[in-house]
Amino acid sequence: MTTRTTRSLEHPARDDIRLAGVLHALSDPMRLHIVHVLAEEAEAQSCAVFDLPVSKSTTTHHFRVLRESGVIHQAYRGTAKVSCLRREDLDALFPGLLDGVLRACSLESARLAGRP
Amino acid sequence: MTTRTTRSLEHPARDDIRLAGVLHALSDPMRLHIVHVLAEEAEAQSCAVFDLPVSKSTTTHHFRVLRESGVIHQAYRGTAKVSCLRREDLDALFPGLLDGVLRACSLESARLAGRP
DNA sequence: GCGTTAGTACGACGTCTAACGTACTACGAA
DNA sequence: TTCGTAGTACGTTAGACGTCGTACTAACGC
């Protein structure tokens, strides 16, 4: 009965990733946070570990935007769906961009925490 | 009769510039193009030199988004309004970010031109 | 003053977006 | 097989966005 352990998940090919799309995906604070956390973890993370202050359906939405823009890769693992950054693709297309954004993200967090 | 040569132009202070706002400003192809051109020019440029494929009012809109997010600085010079990147502020807040985006922008242009 | 040039303000329009709730499916465990 | 967990699909809502046109203002040069 078609036990598709791998339900299909659409990912853009490397050449279809667009800078404007990536920047748009990163321009939302919630998604920036997700990317920031993903960058610090070696393992692919389940969506559930983020505990975002929004509903489940909104969480799904944000992960989809990240995936469809080419920022993250997602795969089903059992009942969970795990996500990880597409570092290799992003670094090949836009060297230094992801690191620049992640560093900026860390610096801003520190700056805003220092001046509340 | 109040010949304010300097009509007031709102710019965010350095500390009010937000990463998400900057990324959002850069996530539009038209604005990315503007920033790309500004980065290659030493002099501040008038809005008119860009010759964007949109109406004057839309052009005004895009420059305003860039200014209000802290990406560019604008000033009146005679009848023109000249714009330049806020490199110093952006590099202080998010070192490497602007360069990363600009380089990514150049690389993508070259890549897309090669495969039409 | 008059016209030209450069940009603004405002209102309108259709589209996109972020958020929600509810109802559903897929997998693993009891 | 039944239940719980994790996430999807769908429909909706309110607001933001990109675009336009028209009417306006400010500075310059004649």
mmCIF file of all heavy atoms in Angstrom, chain A residues 46-48 56 60 79 81, chain D residues 4-10:
data_model
loop_
_atom_site.group_PDB
_atom_site.id
_atom_site.type_symbol
_atom_site.label_atom_id
_atom_site.label_comp_id
_atom_site.label_asym_id
_atom_site.label_seq_id
_atom_site.Cartn_x
_atom_site.Cartn_y
_atom_site.Cartn_z
ATOM 1 N N SER A 46 14.865 18.711 13.666
ATOM 2 C CA SER A 46 13.430 18.613 13.456
ATOM 3 C C SER A 46 12.797 19.992 13.649
ATOM 4 O O SER A 46 13.282 20.809 14.429
ATOM 5 C CB SER A 46 12.840 17.631 14.455
ATOM 6 O OG SER A 46 11.554 18.018 14.844
ATOM 7 N N CYS A 47 11.720 20.255 12.924
ATOM 8 C CA CYS A 47 11.032 21.531 13.046
ATOM 9 C C CYS A 47 10.593 21.789 14.478
ATOM 10 O O CYS A 47 10.507 22.929 14.929
ATOM 11 C CB CYS A 47 9.798 21.552 12.151
ATOM 12 S SG CYS A 47 10.145 21.318 10.401
ATOM 13 N N ALA A 48 10.316 20.701 15.201
ATOM 14 C CA ALA A 48 9.720 20.840 16.529
ATOM 15 C C ALA A 48 10.675 21.442 17.551
ATOM 16 O O ALA A 48 10.232 22.059 18.518
ATOM 17 C CB ALA A 48 9.242 19.478 17.026
ATOM 18 N N LYS A 56 1.498 25.877 14.657
ATOM 19 C CA LYS A 56 2.145 24.844 13.860
ATOM 20 C C LYS A 56 2.046 25.150 12.372
ATOM 21 O O LYS A 56 3.008 24.962 11.620
ATOM 22 C CB LYS A 56 1.485 23.483 14.138
ATOM 23 C CG LYS A 56 2.056 22.735 15.306
ATOM 24 C CD LYS A 56 1.772 21.242 15.214
ATOM 25 C CE LYS A 56 0.283 20.935 15.096
ATOM 26 N NZ LYS A 56 0.048 19.481 14.977
ATOM 27 N N THR A 60 5.090 25.609 9.663
ATOM 28 C CA THR A 60 5.191 24.912 8.385
ATOM 29 C C THR A 60 5.425 25.895 7.248
ATOM 30 O O THR A 60 6.274 25.685 6.374
ATOM 31 C CB THR A 60 3.896 24.123 8.115
ATOM 32 O OG1 THR A 60 3.730 23.135 9.128
ATOM 33 C CG2 THR A 60 3.952 23.447 6.761
ATOM 34 N N THR A 79 8.458 10.080 11.784
ATOM 35 C CA THR A 79 7.348 11.025 11.848
ATOM 36 C C THR A 79 7.812 12.475 11.813
ATOM 37 O O THR A 79 7.007 13.379 11.642
ATOM 38 C CB THR A 79 6.505 10.763 13.111
ATOM 39 O OG1 THR A 79 6.072 11.997 13.633
ATOM 40 C CG2 THR A 79 7.334 10.056 14.168
ATOM 41 N N LYS A 81 10.266 15.741 10.399
ATOM 42 C CA LYS A 81 10.866 16.269 9.171
ATOM 43 C C LYS A 81 12.071 17.068 9.610
ATOM 44 O O LYS A 81 11.937 18.021 10.389
ATOM 45 C CB LYS A 81 9.878 17.150 8.432
ATOM 46 C CG LYS A 81 10.423 17.653 7.114
ATOM 47 C CD LYS A 81 9.324 18.009 6.156
ATOM 48 C CE LYS A 81 8.816 19.418 6.368
ATOM 49 N NZ LYS A 81 7.930 19.855 5.290
ATOM 50 P P DG D 4 -4.075 9.096 23.180
ATOM 51 O OP1 DG D 4 -4.181 9.174 24.658
ATOM 52 O OP2 DG D 4 -5.107 9.717 22.328
ATOM 53 O "O5'" DG D 4 -2.653 9.671 22.777
ATOM 54 C "C5'" DG D 4 -1.487 9.032 23.286
ATOM 55 C "C4'" DG D 4 -0.271 9.478 22.499
ATOM 56 O "O4'" DG D 4 -0.313 8.905 21.166
ATOM 57 C "C3'" DG D 4 -0.172 11.003 22.311
ATOM 58 O "O3'" DG D 4 1.172 11.399 22.538
ATOM 59 C "C2'" DG D 4 -0.596 11.213 20.867
ATOM 60 C "C1'" DG D 4 -0.098 9.936 20.206
ATOM 61 N N9 DG D 4 -0.830 9.563 19.006
ATOM 62 C C8 DG D 4 -2.191 9.532 18.832
ATOM 63 N N7 DG D 4 -2.560 9.145 17.639
ATOM 64 C C5 DG D 4 -1.362 8.911 16.981
ATOM 65 C C6 DG D 4 -1.112 8.475 15.657
ATOM 66 O O6 DG D 4 -1.929 8.207 14.770
ATOM 67 N N1 DG D 4 0.256 8.370 15.397
ATOM 68 C C2 DG D 4 1.245 8.637 16.305
ATOM 69 N N2 DG D 4 2.494 8.475 15.885
ATOM 70 N N3 DG D 4 1.038 9.044 17.539
ATOM 71 C C4 DG D 4 -0.286 9.161 17.809
ATOM 72 P P DT D 5 1.544 12.922 22.650
ATOM 73 O OP1 DT D 5 2.228 13.109 23.934
ATOM 74 O OP2 DT D 5 0.356 13.737 22.296
ATOM 75 O "O5'" DT D 5 2.626 13.091 21.491
ATOM 76 C "C5'" DT D 5 3.507 12.027 21.196
ATOM 77 C "C4'" DT D 5 4.146 12.279 19.849
ATOM 78 O "O4'" DT D 5 3.283 11.778 18.790
ATOM 79 C "C3'" DT D 5 4.384 13.757 19.543
ATOM 80 O "O3'" DT D 5 5.687 13.907 19.021
ATOM 81 C "C2'" DT D 5 3.317 14.087 18.505
ATOM 82 C "C1'" DT D 5 3.179 12.758 17.778
ATOM 83 N N1 DT D 5 1.877 12.549 17.106
ATOM 84 C C2 DT D 5 1.875 12.045 15.828
ATOM 85 O O2 DT D 5 2.887 11.768 15.232
ATOM 86 N N3 DT D 5 0.626 11.870 15.290
ATOM 87 C C4 DT D 5 -0.590 12.157 15.882
ATOM 88 O O4 DT D 5 -1.644 11.960 15.288
ATOM 89 C C5 DT D 5 -0.512 12.680 17.220
ATOM 90 C C7 DT D 5 -1.767 13.018 17.946
ATOM 91 C C6 DT D 5 0.706 12.852 17.767
ATOM 92 P P DA D 6 6.276 15.358 18.706
ATOM 93 O OP1 DA D 6 7.728 15.314 18.993
ATOM 94 O OP2 DA D 6 5.399 16.364 19.332
ATOM 95 O "O5'" DA D 6 6.103 15.450 17.129
ATOM 96 C "C5'" DA D 6 6.798 14.526 16.307
ATOM 97 C "C4'" DA D 6 6.604 14.919 14.867
ATOM 98 O "O4'" DA D 6 5.277 14.522 14.449
ATOM 99 C "C3'" DA D 6 6.690 16.433 14.636
ATOM 100 O "O3'" DA D 6 7.487 16.688 13.491
ATOM 101 C "C2'" DA D 6 5.248 16.847 14.429
ATOM 102 C "C1'" DA D 6 4.623 15.598 13.828
ATOM 103 N N9 DA D 6 3.200 15.470 14.109
ATOM 104 C C8 DA D 6 2.528 15.805 15.256
ATOM 105 N N7 DA D 6 1.240 15.568 15.211
ATOM 106 C C5 DA D 6 1.045 15.039 13.941
ATOM 107 C C6 DA D 6 -0.103 14.585 13.274
ATOM 108 N N6 DA D 6 -1.321 14.590 13.806
ATOM 109 N N1 DA D 6 0.050 14.120 12.013
ATOM 110 C C2 DA D 6 1.278 14.109 11.482
ATOM 111 N N3 DA D 6 2.429 14.509 12.006
ATOM 112 C C4 DA D 6 2.245 14.966 13.256
ATOM 113 P P DG D 7 7.905 18.162 13.115
ATOM 114 O OP1 DG D 7 9.282 18.140 12.615
ATOM 115 O OP2 DG D 7 7.517 19.053 14.226
ATOM 116 O "O5'" DG D 7 6.957 18.454 11.884
ATOM 117 C "C5'" DG D 7 7.068 17.597 10.755
ATOM 118 C "C4'" DG D 7 5.781 17.630 9.979
ATOM 119 O "O4'" DG D 7 4.669 17.348 10.848
ATOM 120 C "C3'" DG D 7 5.451 18.977 9.333
ATOM 121 O "O3'" DG D 7 5.578 18.863 7.924
ATOM 122 C "C2'" DG D 7 4.034 19.269 9.762
ATOM 123 C "C1'" DG D 7 3.537 17.907 10.234
ATOM 124 N N9 DG D 7 2.438 18.016 11.165
ATOM 125 C C8 DG D 7 2.463 18.487 12.462
ATOM 126 N N7 DG D 7 1.290 18.473 13.033
ATOM 127 C C5 DG D 7 0.431 17.964 12.063
ATOM 128 C C6 DG D 7 -0.954 17.719 12.098
ATOM 129 O O6 DG D 7 -1.738 17.908 13.029
ATOM 130 N N1 DG D 7 -1.417 17.200 10.898
ATOM 131 C C2 DG D 7 -0.636 16.961 9.788
ATOM 132 N N2 DG D 7 -1.243 16.463 8.719
ATOM 133 N N3 DG D 7 0.664 17.174 9.748
ATOM 134 C C4 DG D 7 1.130 17.677 10.903
ATOM 135 P P DT D 8 5.079 20.041 6.935
ATOM 136 O OP1 DT D 8 5.956 19.968 5.761
ATOM 137 O OP2 DT D 8 4.931 21.297 7.692
ATOM 138 O "O5'" DT D 8 3.629 19.551 6.499
ATOM 139 C "C5'" DT D 8 3.505 18.232 5.975
ATOM 140 C "C4'" DT D 8 2.199 18.105 5.225
ATOM 141 O "O4'" DT D 8 1.098 18.102 6.180
ATOM 142 C "C3'" DT D 8 1.906 19.234 4.260
ATOM 143 O "O3'" DT D 8 1.275 18.677 3.116
ATOM 144 C "C2'" DT D 8 0.962 20.144 5.046
ATOM 145 C "C1'" DT D 8 0.204 19.152 5.898
ATOM 146 N N1 DT D 8 -0.250 19.661 7.205
ATOM 147 C C2 DT D 8 -1.573 19.584 7.516
ATOM 148 O O2 DT D 8 -2.403 19.129 6.751
ATOM 149 N N3 DT D 8 -1.909 20.060 8.761
ATOM 150 C C4 DT D 8 -1.054 20.582 9.708
ATOM 151 O O4 DT D 8 -1.477 20.980 10.795
ATOM 152 C C5 DT D 8 0.326 20.642 9.319
ATOM 153 C C7 DT D 8 1.322 21.198 10.265
ATOM 154 C C6 DT D 8 0.661 20.182 8.100
ATOM 155 P P DA D 9 1.049 19.541 1.802
ATOM 156 O OP1 DA D 9 1.421 18.668 0.675
ATOM 157 O OP2 DA D 9 1.692 20.853 1.971
ATOM 158 O "O5'" DA D 9 -0.522 19.769 1.778
ATOM 159 C "C5'" DA D 9 -1.392 18.823 2.375
ATOM 160 C "C4'" DA D 9 -2.836 19.296 2.223
ATOM 161 O "O4'" DA D 9 -3.336 19.750 3.516
ATOM 162 C "C3'" DA D 9 -3.034 20.474 1.273
ATOM 163 O "O3'" DA D 9 -4.282 20.284 0.600
ATOM 164 C "C2'" DA D 9 -3.049 21.677 2.197
ATOM 165 C "C1'" DA D 9 -3.703 21.115 3.447
ATOM 166 N N9 DA D 9 -3.242 21.730 4.689
ATOM 167 C C8 DA D 9 -1.958 22.098 4.994
ATOM 168 N N7 DA D 9 -1.822 22.610 6.192
ATOM 169 C C5 DA D 9 -3.104 22.584 6.716
ATOM 170 C C6 DA D 9 -3.630 22.988 7.951
ATOM 171 N N6 DA D 9 -2.888 23.527 8.927
ATOM 172 N N1 DA D 9 -4.954 22.824 8.156
ATOM 173 C C2 DA D 9 -5.688 22.286 7.174
ATOM 174 N N3 DA D 9 -5.297 21.865 5.965
ATOM 175 C C4 DA D 9 -3.982 22.045 5.796
ATOM 176 P P DC D 10 -4.770 21.248 -0.536
ATOM 177 O OP1 DC D 10 -5.502 20.429 -1.505
ATOM 178 O OP2 DC D 10 -3.650 22.105 -0.983
ATOM 179 O "O5'" DC D 10 -5.816 22.149 0.247
ATOM 180 C "C5'" DC D 10 -6.802 21.524 1.074
ATOM 181 C "C4'" DC D 10 -7.627 22.574 1.777
ATOM 182 O "O4'" DC D 10 -6.997 22.951 3.016
ATOM 183 C "C3'" DC D 10 -7.790 23.864 0.967
ATOM 184 O "O3'" DC D 10 -9.151 24.212 0.932
ATOM 185 C "C2'" DC D 10 -6.976 24.888 1.732
ATOM 186 C "C1'" DC D 10 -7.078 24.351 3.150
ATOM 187 N N1 DC D 10 -5.972 24.785 4.042
ATOM 188 C C2 DC D 10 -6.245 25.149 5.360
ATOM 189 O O2 DC D 10 -7.398 25.097 5.769
ATOM 190 N N3 DC D 10 -5.222 25.540 6.161
ATOM 191 C C4 DC D 10 -3.976 25.583 5.678
ATOM 192 N N4 DC D 10 -3.008 25.969 6.503
ATOM 193 C C5 DC D 10 -3.682 25.224 4.333
ATOM 194 C C6 DC D 10 -4.693 24.836 3.551
#
